[in-house]
Each structure stands twice: as structure tokens, then as C-alpha cells.
Amino acid sequence: MADPRSAGAPTVLRVVLGKRLQDLREKAGLSFEHAAAALDVTHATIRRMEKAEVGLKIPYVEKLLATYGVTDRKEIDGFVALAREANRPGWWHRFRDILPEWFSAFVSLESEANLIRSYQPHYVPGLLQTEDYAAAVLRAGMPHAAPADIDRIVALRMERQALLTRENAPMLWSVMDETVLRRPIGGPRVMRDQITRLMEATSMPNVRLQVMPFAAGPHPAMYGPFHIFRFPIPELPDIAYAESLVGAVYFDQRNDVSQFLEALDRMCAQAAPAHTTEAILGGFRKEI
């Protein structure tokens, strides 16, 4: 996948269109150099377009389609319309002043996925956090941030949660370590409210939560949190996401993603079954 640190983190549509351009070029039997000559640009520009590292200029798209032998007007118009849509900023663009470029790509993937799986060893999944819990987490992780910036990041996080109740909402399947429920964040009231929110989420048809108890012992993903996104778009492979203090890495190579999938599948088998999660959460809430 494109480097999310590059200027203008790619939207999912831009990634899809880049892959479609690559397919058309390869079917036409043309090299990067041939395509570059048609636009009078370097072959590196063509590579960057196909990897969604740059925006898709409409005249370039039209010229490449002609170069690749696409002559059907309906197909051309459809492709150009998608290119225009891909170049539009996502809804989260208005948060760009507080949203790192590497996380903009995450929000785009999250918005287009039909399945979001994750392992959370430290915190409640962002899509299920209450406002108070999110604010406490962010204040701890960003001690030098201005209160106004924290408020805006919380607002972004709350707005992201709307995808779970939209039409054609994605499935969210998350495994939380027991640590998530035992670490006091924001005080007793905040934790009780947060656990109540999780209990409510277990009744949602598109949410599956599992708890990995300490008693289960070691498991395959003790190195840190990660997400896996799956899409209803043929051009997009599964994408895994791993975050650090200063950025993130996105994996879309089959061998890499398969390791994340295998680890998560093993964890789901090792964790407490999903149908027991509400009772487990209720037990933790009573202890607070």
C-alpha cells in the first residue's frame, strides 16, 4: 500500500483506481516507460499513480486510458467520475489540523471495510470508546497536547463510530486483553460507563467482542495491537495495520497479512467465547 506518510494520504478509492490503471497497463503489454512517454512524465510518476502516492489528475487519467486502448465512452466516463471522487477529501479532512497523515489512511480504510478485526492489549477499541474514556486515553498518550486539540480528536473518534450504525455497517470483531478491563482509566465512573457501553455493544448484530483472560496464558500476538481490514472491493486485498508511537505500518502483501490473520484466528479460539463476553464484562463492572 502507499506510504501513509506521503503528502495527502490515499483514500481507498485512489488505491482502487491505481490498481485498475496498473491492470489496464499490464493487459496492454506496456511498461512504465511507455506509459510515462504518453504523459511526458517520468516512469516514477506512473509508479506513484499506481501505488496511490499521488493524486489522479483527470487529463492524465484520460490520456492513460487512451494509451491503454480503452475506447468505450461509457467506460471512460465511469473511470473519470471515479477519479474525481477519489480526489475529493474524505469527511475527516476537516480534522486535518489534528489528524496525522499516517492515520488518515486508517480512517479511509475503516470507512470502506466490511470487516474490521483487531487485537487490543491496552485500550477499548476506538469505535466503542465513550467520550470520557477517549479523552482520558488521549490525555495520557498526548501529555503536551492542548485541551482544544484533545477535544477535536475525541470529536473525530466519536464521529468515526457512526459507521457501526449506518446502512451496510461493517462487522467489528475485536479481541481485548483482560488488561483493558483492569487498567483504571479516567476513574471509577468513567470505567463503569465504558464497560456498560461495551456490554451494550455485545447486543449489536455487527459487533463481536471477546476477552483474552490472563488465565489463558501466552498467545500469538503479545507483541502489540493490530487491525485487519477486509473490503467488498475486488481490487483491494486484506490490509493489516500496526501502530507505534510515531507512525504506522500498513501491510497488504498476502504473506504478511496471513501471519496477522493466523495469529488472530488462534487468539479467537483461545479467548473466552463471544457469547460469554457480556457476563464477563458485568463481572468486571461489579468490581469497580
Side-chain angles (χ1 to χ4, degrees), residues 74-205:
K74 186 176 181 181
E75 183 177 357
I76 294 171
D77 289 345
F79 204 107
V80 169
L82 281 176
R84 287 198 176 97
E85 183 67 25
N87 285 333
R88 289 179 185 157
W91 63 263
W92 54 91
H93 185 67
R94 67 181 185 278
F95 292 98
R96 63 190 180 279
D97 57 315
I98 47 87
L99 185 64
E101 286 291 348
W102 53 265
F103 195 70
S104 295
F106 179 97
V107 179
S108 178
L109 295 172
E110 180 181 73
S111 298
E112 297 295 335
N114 62 352
L115 173 62
I116 303 168
R117 298 182 65 185
S118 71
Y119 166 56
Q120 301 287 354
H122 306 303
Y123 303 113
V124 167
L127 291 176
L128 297 175
Q129 292 180 5
T130 66
E131 288 191 45
D132 288 341
Y133 182 95
V137 167
L138 289 165
R139 283 194 295 267
M142 306 172 64
H144 304 296
D149 289 342
I150 295 293
D151 290 343
R152 280 181 51 71
I153 299 172
V154 170
L156 168 64
R157 189 163 297 183
M158 296 302 104
E159 193 159 340
R160 284 169 49 210
Q161 295 181 3
L163 70 85
L164 291 180
T165 53
R166 74 185 185 193
E167 187 177 358
N168 297 319
M171 168 65 74
L172 174 66
W173 184 358
S174 186
V175 178
M176 298 181 297
D177 197 89
E178 182 176 335
T179 304
V180 172
L181 304 173
R182 291 200 177 278
R183 176 175 286 115
I185 292 178
R189 180 192 61 79
V190 171
M191 284 301 298
R192 279 194 297 269
D193 290 348
Q194 178 60 75
I195 292 178
T196 298
R197 170 73 180 101
L198 291 174
M199 293 175 70
E200 293 169 350
T202 62
S203 65
M204 297 175 67

Side-chain angles (χ1 to χ4, degrees), residues 7 39 58 66 68 89 93 105 112 121 124 137 140 143 166 169 172-173 209 221 228 233 240 267 269 286:
L39 299 183
I58 301 304
Y68 299 157
H93 185 67
E112 297 295 335
V124 167
V137 167
R166 74 185 185 193
L172 174 66
W173 184 358
L209 298 177
I228 301 172
I233 306 170
M267 291 174 64
K286 289 179 181 178

Side-chain angles (χ1 to χ4, degrees), residues 233-253:
I233 306 170
E235 291 89 349
L236 276 182
D238 290 351
I239 294 176
Y241 165 92
E243 190 175 309
S244 70
L245 281 174
V246 294
V249 180
Y250 294 79
F251 303 89
D252 62 0
Q253 297 301 307

